[in-house]
Amino acid sequence: MQEQQQDFKNVFCMEGGQGESSYINNSQSQSRNLKMMLYALEETLDKIQLPRHRPGNKPLLTAADLGCSCGQNTLLIADVIVDHMTDKSFGSKDDDGLEFCFYFSDLPSNDFNTLFHLLPQQAAAAGRDGRQSRRYFAAAVPGSFHDRLFPERSINVFTSTFSLHWLSQVPKRVADKQSPAYNKGKVFVHGASEETGTAYQRQFRFDMMRFLHCRAAEMKPGGAIFIVSLGRLSSTRGPTEQGYIYEVYCSMFEDSLHDLIEEEMVDGEKMDNFNVPLYAATVEEFKEAVDADGSFKINQLELVMGSPPVVDDPANRGVVGRMVANYMRALFGPLVNTHIGGAMADELFIRMQRRAEIRAEELVDEMCFAHILC
């Protein structure tokens, strides 16, 4: 199991590159939702202590985005931090009295090359091709945010957006054929057995506490964390009721995989052994994990409903179906490729696109995800 967990860290990432199903071309919804919540990031920044002057050097503010992926959203966060903290420190963006170092962190499998090609040039080189100048030093930090990533007391601000719903691993009991939590015939926790749901719930709590414990060691005194993560409404049906939108997406994905099994293109055991380690927590579950760890005080915690998807032609079923298939492949493509191979992954997402076309009107109207904002 330890080897499987390590393999997951080596292969899991959003779809890299700049192709049709890449994350960079299928993260517009995340961008719109993030912009809705940037006010909370600015309020978070207002609470941190300003870095102290260093003899003979400018004050240095260090920030890290955990689970940065390879799109524009992490660069937006960096710009907001630089803008807001420059204003807070000096009252003018033209004042050159503060230096910034921004760390982009994700698993080693992340497409850092694509991300760094998006970076604005440093101030000294900017302007020659009309690109905006970059006002911070930048570095990549490969590794899992469930582990230590930085030296003790080295970071002023941590951010993590659209990432903490990813677990560190598939819960061990879910992958154990002898366990009542074995998720036979399913890929997601939504609609699974009560035992499977409990295993996912416990894994989320363990991972969240581990995340916070590591950040507490790495954060400078007076620092803060800003988190946006997929969430769900409180439900008496428990963790296997992830919400209506998950029911739609999960069923289309699992039914498409069932098609391949029935057509004898994929062995049925491939599905039994395939689980996506994604868990949308309730606000209560999130708070319980933070309180249990005890390292941080919550300043703000709420559930925010996201905006509808970005669709070029929402009345065109083909456009909607292709958008849904590309969106799902951007999120799960590398995992699916590893599990059933690229050719079968192509077949799976073709079938998912057809199902999305049939449900196009429903998807456009209902495709809004809930997010935990902390």
Side-chain angles (χ1 to χ4, degrees):
M1 182 60 68
Q2 183 66 31
E3 182 179 351
Q4 291 180 7
Q5 181 180 353
Q6 189 62 41
D7 287 344
F8 170 74
K9 292 182 179 180
N10 289 334
V11 304
F12 179 68
C13 59
M14 302 295 100
E15 188 77 23
Q18 299 188 43
E20 183 181 0
S21 62
S22 64
Y23 184 77
I24 192 174
N25 286 323
N26 291 277
S27 54
Q28 295 90 343
S29 292
Q30 289 93 324
S31 179
R32 288 176 62 180
N33 291 325
L34 176 61
K35 289 175 181 177
M36 288 170 47
M37 294 179 269
L38 286 178
Y39 74 91
L41 172 57
E42 293 175 342
E43 291 175 358
T44 301
L45 295 173
D46 284 337
K47 298 181 184 299
I48 73 168
Q49 295 179 9
L50 292 173
R52 297 178 179 178
H53 284 271
R54 299 172 295 165
N57 297 285
K58 298 175 182 178
L60 174 66
L61 185 139
T62 55
D65 188 35
L66 309 182
C68 63
S69 192
C70 53
Q72 295 279 3
N73 294 332
T74 188
L75 305 183
L76 172 61
I77 289 171
D79 287 338
V80 170
I81 290 174
V82 171
D83 287 343
H84 194 83
M85 294 309 296
T86 299
D87 285 346
K88 179 179 178 180
S89 301
F90 303 104
S92 170
K93 295 180 182 179
D94 296 326
D95 198 316
D96 193 33
L98 186 64
E99 286 192 318
F100 298 89
C101 186
F102 202 90
Y103 297 103
F104 300 93
S105 181
D106 212 318
L107 293 174
S109 49
N110 184 58
D111 186 1
F112 285 105
N113 285 333
T114 291
L115 173 62
F116 281 4
H117 275 102
L118 299 175
L119 278 175
Q121 295 179 356
Q122 288 182 302
R128 298 172 187 169
D129 59 1
R131 295 177 65 185
Q132 179 185 3
S133 64
R134 171 160 48 93
R135 295 162 294 153
Y136 52 88
F137 296 95
V141 179
S144 169
F145 53 50
H146 295 111
D147 300 324
R148 283 287 304 275
L149 294 166
F150 302 95
E152 290 186 2
R153 299 195 169 199
S154 60
I155 305 296
N156 296 102
V157 184
F158 284 108
T159 61
S160 182
T161 58
F162 313 111
S163 297
L164 277 172
H165 44 265
W166 294 108
L167 305 180
S168 64
Q169 64 179 54
V170 174
K172 294 180 180 180
R173 295 174 58 225
V174 172
D176 182 359
K177 293 183 179 180
Q178 306 304 317
S179 169
Y182 183 55
N183 202 21
K184 181 178 176 61
K186 290 192 63 61
V187 175
F188 298 92
V189 66
H190 183 88
S193 69
E194 182 179 346
E195 292 83 1
T196 301
T198 299
Y200 268 83
Q201 186 181 50
R202 290 174 177 171
Q203 186 69 49
F204 170 80
R205 179 185 173 93
F206 176 85
D207 286 348
M208 188 67 197
M209 291 174 63
R210 176 64 182 167
F211 171 88
L212 294 171
H213 181 77
C214 292
R215 303 296 82 77
E218 298 164 346
M219 182 177 289
K220 293 181 180 180
I225 304 180
F226 172 76
I227 294 172
V228 177
S229 174
L230 287 180
R232 75 180 197 276
L233 297 170
S234 301
S235 172
T236 56
R237 294 177 60 183
T240 60
E241 175 54 51
Q242 293 278 287
Y244 174 74
I245 191 60
Y246 296 93
E247 178 180 339
V248 174
Y249 269 81
C250 295
S251 65
M252 288 194 300
F253 185 97
E254 291 174 343
D255 289 347
S256 298
L257 186 51
H258 273 299
D259 286 349
L260 300 183
I261 294 171
E262 291 176 359
E263 296 168 29
E264 298 184 347
M265 300 175 72
V266 172
D267 190 294
E269 194 167 331
K270 287 283 188 180
M271 184 168 190
D272 295 338
N273 295 332
F274 183 30
N275 292 280
V276 174
L278 184 150
Y279 185 78
T282 64
V283 168
E284 291 79 9
E285 289 170 341
F286 191 96
K287 185 178 185 301
E288 287 171 4
V290 176
D291 291 344
D293 171 71
S295 301
F296 292 90
K297 180 185 74 173
I298 296 175
N299 292 313
Q300 179 180 357
L301 179 61
E302 60 181 297
L303 193 70
V304 179
M305 289 305 300
S307 61
V310 179
V311 186
D312 293 335
D313 185 0
N316 187 318
R317 291 181 177 273
V319 171
V320 175
R322 187 163 57 253
M323 181 274 296
V324 170
N326 285 336
Y327 178 77
M328 290 292 280
R329 191 156 200 170
L331 299 180
F332 305 124
L335 277 181
V336 178
N337 291 346
T338 300
H339 198 73
I340 64 174
M344 289 301 99
D346 290 342
E347 294 290 339
L348 185 148
F349 288 108
I350 287 172
R351 285 158 174 75
M352 188 166 182
Q353 177 175 334
R354 292 171 184 163
R355 284 185 160 84
E357 289 173 358
I358 295 172
R359 308 179 72 166
E361 184 176 349
E362 173 188 9
L363 287 168
V364 171
D365 291 340
E366 302 291 342
M367 205 169 74
C368 298
F369 290 91
H371 298 89
I372 289 176
L373 171 63
C374 183

